[in-house]
Amino acid sequence: MEVKSMLTYTYVSEGTFALMEKPKPVLQHERDAIVKVTLASICSSDLHIKHGSVPRAVPGITVGHEMVGIVEEVGSAVTNVKPGDRVTVNVETFCGECFFCKKGFVNNCTDQNGGWALGCRIDGGQAEYVRVPFADQGLNKIPDGVTDRQALLVGDVLATGFWAARISEITPEDTVLILGAGPTGICTLLCVMLHSPKRIIVCEKDASRLQFIRRHYPQVLTVQPEDCAAFVRAHSDHGGADVVLEVAGADSTFRLAWECARPNAIVTVVALYDKAQTLPLPEMYGKNLTFKTGGVDGCDCEETLRLIAEGKIDTEPLITHTYPLRRIAEGYELFEKKRDGVIKVAVEC
């Protein structure tokens, strides 16, 4: 029997998400695919939408931009995936043909659906089905032997961590400081570890997250924010970190990032802030810092899936809680209030 409608979690208005039935999506373009969502996740960006800090988010859209599933139908121009394929879904929609896509800057795709569209400007994947534009770019086949849970974070937070580590120019001699040990911070840590720097320090204020880091990655040094600057100076070779990745996005962490950097260091700002940050150039004068900022360019998903298949990246421990779609509101409440040691919530669709 053909499915006509589906359950979705939808952005109703500022402060309100709700479970509701919607028509099952259909192909709208020859480059589209329809994916049966098997597993989705809840992301901090979803909370930003809920609280009105993503102005481009459209009321009425189904939220969710991190998911895996099975391809059900493809448009006539789709060649990289076929019905029946298990796939990850990229957080970004990109055409693959414009100036920015060809440069690998897919976050800046100039198509009208380019950039973060799913779960923000068009219906996303906290639902039973999702329509994915530019399916050849936005879907990646999951290797045999890699489970849905192992692949779930590939399209968003792992893509962000991989991008952040890649642009940070990490060398084996470096001391790397990561500010924030939430889901994106831990994914960033996993990708920094691929570069084998001399020393990694993670700064986090939440005791349960620090415990998570110590339990799973005992080789990594940990510190709380109030002790961070002194700790980094004591555990680096040149008076500060060679590379700082700011993944926390708290009121004080942008300042902490550049204060903990040595002169001529790279500071990569991964975090999404709720308000403007101050760049106090007179205080920075002479540090000659290089800042790298912006949204993830999620074009390395095939490589991260290969690394997962090879056992070099394991994000499954980050999935601490799982809920069925009908109970997704409980998952949101747990995630937003950071209860019960939550890192990442999976949603069975």
Side-chain angles (χ1 to χ4, degrees), residues 85-272:
D85 285 343
R86 295 171 56 239
V87 291
T88 62
V89 181
N90 199 305
V91 66
E92 291 169 332
T93 300
F94 56 102
C95 69
E97 298 171 351
C98 69
F99 169 83
F100 291 105
C101 283
K102 287 179 178 178
K103 292 284 187 181
F105 307 143
V106 300
N107 183 58
N108 306 108
C109 175
T110 56
D111 186 88
Q112 64 178 357
N113 282 328
W116 178 22
L118 285 169
C120 179
R121 293 178 282 124
I122 63 175
D123 283 337
Q126 287 173 13
E128 294 176 281
Y129 295 87
V130 64
R131 179 182 68 88
V132 181
F134 302 120
D136 278 340
Q137 280 70 46
L139 300 178
N140 291 90
K141 286 186 278 191
I142 300 173
D144 293 340
V146 174
T147 68
D148 284 0
R149 292 176 73 87
Q150 288 174 313
L152 177 59
L153 308 187
V154 164
D156 185 14
V157 289
L158 184 58
T160 301
F162 195 86
W163 160 81
R166 173 166 58 80
I167 68 171
S168 294
E169 304 178 35
I170 298 164
T171 75
E173 293 79 35
D174 285 343
T175 293
V176 178
L177 171 64
I178 300 170
L179 298 179
T184 308
I186 298 171
C187 285
T188 300
L189 167 63
L190 292 173
C191 296
V192 166
M193 290 168 66
L194 295 171
H195 296 262
S196 302
K198 181 178 181 180
R199 189 181 294 112
I200 304 174
I201 303 169
V202 170
C203 176
E204 170 60 51
K205 67 178 182 179
D206 184 276
S208 66
R209 289 180 173 180
L210 285 176
Q211 185 179 15
F212 183 93
I213 296 292
R214 292 168 186 147
R215 182 168 69 252
H216 290 278
Y217 318 108
Q219 71 274 39
V220 174
L221 301 175
T222 58
V223 65
Q224 293 185 313
E226 58 269 24
D227 302 317
C228 186
F231 187 89
V232 170
R233 285 193 297 270
H235 292 84
S236 56
D237 300 326
H238 307 290
D242 303 282
V243 176
V244 180
L245 296 106
E246 208 296 78
V247 200
D251 289 343
S252 60
T253 48
F254 177 74
R255 183 178 185 90
L256 187 62
W258 67 260
E259 285 183 337
C260 289
R262 66 155 169 82
N264 297 281
I266 289 175
V267 178
T268 300
V269 179
V270 188
L272 176 64

Side-chain angles (χ1 to χ4, degrees), residues 276-329:
Q277 301 298 301
T278 301
L279 195 67
L281 294 175
E283 295 178 59
M284 294 178 177
Y285 189 78
K287 288 199 85 169
N288 295 1
L289 299 172
T290 296
F291 285 87
K292 298 193 174 188
T293 70
V296 52
D297 286 312
C299 50
D300 301 303
C301 294
E302 186 173 347
E303 183 173 357
T304 56
L305 281 165
R306 177 181 59 79
L307 291 165
I308 290 169
E310 293 172 357
K312 295 177 181 177
I313 297 177
D314 180 14
T315 59
E316 191 169 2
L318 278 69
I319 304 172
T320 54
H321 297 76
T322 304
Y323 288 84
L325 180 58
R326 289 192 177 277
R327 294 174 53 202
I328 191 172

